[in-house]
Amino acid sequence: MRNLFKVMVAAAFMLLTLTVCAGAAGERAYTTADVLNVRSQPSTDSAILGQYVYGSTIDITGTSDVWYQIRYNNGYAYVHSDYVAFSSTQTPDQSIKGQQIVETAKQYIGTPYVYGGMSPSGFDCSGFVKYVYGLHGVSLNRVAADQAYNGYWVSRENLRPGDIICFASSAGSSYISHVGIYVGNNQFIHSPRTGYTVTIENLSGTYASRYYTARRIF
């Protein structure tokens, strides 16, 4: 009888686990921590691949104990379930925050490009993005290649104002050398290069061919 009881308890536990997994996998959730580490494996000892800020939406693909497996950078990663919530109500109004980022960025149109610059006296590309987001209380990585790990991936088809657009050094390259902020209508704002100023341009031509990825912070 004891063995039968143990078997029944184990079966019940497995059923509960499967139910939890089925309820989480395939769902969209949002993060509840100010900053949430994205891990390569379901362990705090594993490598940190990036971070999400509060209110970021994520797609759950599975569970592993107290961890959720998620889609991340065209692959899979893990976040701790303690800092993820499911809700039928809307998450913080991300579209408004993104538009606020754009409006702030537009205030610096005409500011000259300065290599290493990250102030209104002059910006380089990543310095400009970091400065604008900083005015809204968000701390981003400093250089373009590292800003590609802030926030979470969003497809080109789903770009919305405030998203960070990352460009490769050349068409076909995987090295990210430039960033800007999407403003809508297939346009983005950025600090291009020496001799130029902060401006809004179309996401076409050379920029379209160099487009590599995009990151959503809110």
Side-chain angles (χ1 to χ4, degrees):
M1 289 296 291
R2 286 185 178 180
N3 289 337
L4 178 60
F5 178 74
K6 290 180 179 179
V7 170
M8 292 176 64
V9 170
F13 178 77
M14 290 179 64
L15 179 60
L16 176 61
T17 301
L18 289 173
T19 302
V20 172
C21 291
E27 289 192 36
R28 175 154 287 192
Y30 65 93
T31 59
T32 58
D34 289 337
V35 178
L36 177 59
N37 290 329
V38 179
R39 301 277 183 176
S40 61
Q41 298 295 327
S43 167
T44 54
D45 295 326
S46 62
I48 297 176
L49 303 179
Q51 294 179 322
Y52 287 124
V53 296
Y54 174 77
S56 299
T57 56
I58 55 178
D59 292 319
I60 306 296
T61 58
T63 61
S64 178
D65 194 13
V66 295
W67 296 82
Y68 285 131
Q69 183 190 67
I70 63 171
R71 293 193 181 280
Y72 190 75
N73 281 348
N74 297 318
Y76 297 97
Y78 296 85
V79 293
H80 201 285
S81 61
D82 283 352
Y83 308 106
V84 175
F86 298 86
S87 176
S88 58
T89 60
Q90 289 186 331
T91 61
D93 197 334
Q94 300 157 333
S95 62
I96 291 179
K97 290 182 178 179
Q99 192 59 53
Q100 289 173 342
I101 290 291
V102 170
E103 294 307 314
T104 297
K106 287 180 178 179
Q107 295 177 22
Y108 298 98
I109 289 176
T111 301
Y113 178 95
V114 173
Y115 180 77
M118 51 182 299
S119 74
S121 62
F123 299 106
D124 62 17
C125 65
S126 57
F128 173 61
V129 174
K130 180 177 176 63
Y131 181 82
V132 169
Y133 266 93
L135 293 178
H136 291 266
V138 178
S139 179
L140 298 179
N141 293 332
R142 173 60 183 92
V143 300
D146 291 338
Q147 286 179 359
Y149 292 98
N150 286 126
Y152 61 100
W153 175 82
V154 60
S155 68
R156 184 169 178 176
E157 294 74 21
N158 292 313
L159 285 171
R160 67 185 182 200
D163 291 343
I164 298 174
I165 303 177
C166 305
F167 299 92
S169 56
S170 60
S173 171
S174 61
Y175 177 71
I176 296 172
S177 62
H178 189 64
V179 289
I181 299 172
Y182 188 68
V183 302
N185 297 320
N186 202 44
Q187 295 182 315
F188 69 103
I189 186 170
H190 66 146
S191 184
R193 58 188 179 277
T194 301
Y196 290 77
T197 63
V198 172
T199 188
I200 294 177
E201 296 195 52
N202 289 321
L203 185 55
S204 58
T206 300
Y207 288 115
S209 66
R210 291 171 54 198
Y211 179 97
Y212 188 78
T213 190
R215 309 296 295 183
R216 181 163 295 161
I217 304 302
F218 296 115

